[in-house]
């Protein structure tokens, strides 16, 4: 995942040019793709921690991990980020990466707390 994130970061503009010829779309798309690359290496841990909790019978913990990325963090961040950091509506796409990072942090805390019991 880390290697693919680095490749995506380096070739973000070229990959975005495959999808569109509009320079504004290419610039915004490359910026979004590069921002997503920071959270990409941690998604494997996120998926593994959710599956671990399911397999050891901690279904509520697995539910919290699974819902945290999209439901608990992403939706509120989608509405809050444009106002908190004055990103504006066009910068609301940063909510995806921020939601992933907070979800991964939640997943690691849930796994840590269940390990201590």
């Amino acid at each position: 995942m880390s290697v693919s994130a680095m490749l995506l970061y380096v070739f973000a503009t070229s990959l975005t040019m495959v999808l569109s010829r509009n320079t504004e779309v290419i610039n915004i798309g490359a910026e979004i793709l590069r921002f997503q690359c920071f959270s990409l290496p941690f998604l494997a841990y996120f998926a593994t921690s959710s599956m671990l909790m399911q397999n050891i019978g901690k279904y509520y913990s697995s539910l919290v991990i699974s819902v945290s990325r999209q439901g608990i963090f992403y939706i509120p961040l989608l509405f809050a980020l444009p106002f908190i950091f004055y990103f504006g509506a066009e910068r609301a796409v940063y909510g995806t990466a921020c939601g992933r990072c907070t979800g991964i942090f939640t997943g690691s805390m849930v796994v840590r707390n269940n390990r201590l019991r």
Side-chain angles (χ1 to χ4, degrees):
M1 290 290 252
S2 298
V3 173
S4 63
M6 287 189 291
L7 289 173
L8 282 173
Y9 190 86
V10 170
F11 297 111
T13 305
S14 301
L15 292 171
T16 310
M17 287 174 66
V18 172
L19 302 173
S20 176
R21 295 288 175 215
N22 187 344
T23 57
E24 186 177 347
V25 172
I26 292 170
N27 292 334
I28 293 171
E31 182 182 358
I32 292 167
L33 185 58
R34 286 188 179 115
F35 198 75
Q36 297 296 326
C37 288
F38 291 115
S39 64
L40 187 63
F42 303 108
L43 286 179
Y45 180 78
F46 183 81
T48 305
S49 63
S50 178
M51 285 185 250
L52 171 72
M53 291 295 118
Q54 287 177 11
N55 289 328
I56 63 173
K58 305 284 186 176
Y59 302 114
Y60 180 73
S61 298
S62 174
L63 177 70
V64 169
I65 293 171
S66 297
V67 173
S68 67
R69 185 173 62 131
Q70 293 293 333
I72 297 173
F73 294 115
Y74 176 62
I75 294 171
L77 282 171
L78 188 63
F79 291 109
L81 282 177
F83 299 109
I84 293 173
F85 296 110
Y86 304 107
F87 284 155
E90 68 275 358
R91 303 292 188 198
V93 294
Y94 294 145
T96 306
C98 293
R100 283 181 183 173
C101 292
T102 53
I104 291 163
F105 177 74
T106 302
S108 64
M109 290 294 111
V110 168
V111 169
R112 183 176 176 269
N113 286 338
N114 281 306
R115 190 186 73 189
L116 295 176
R117 292 181 188 173

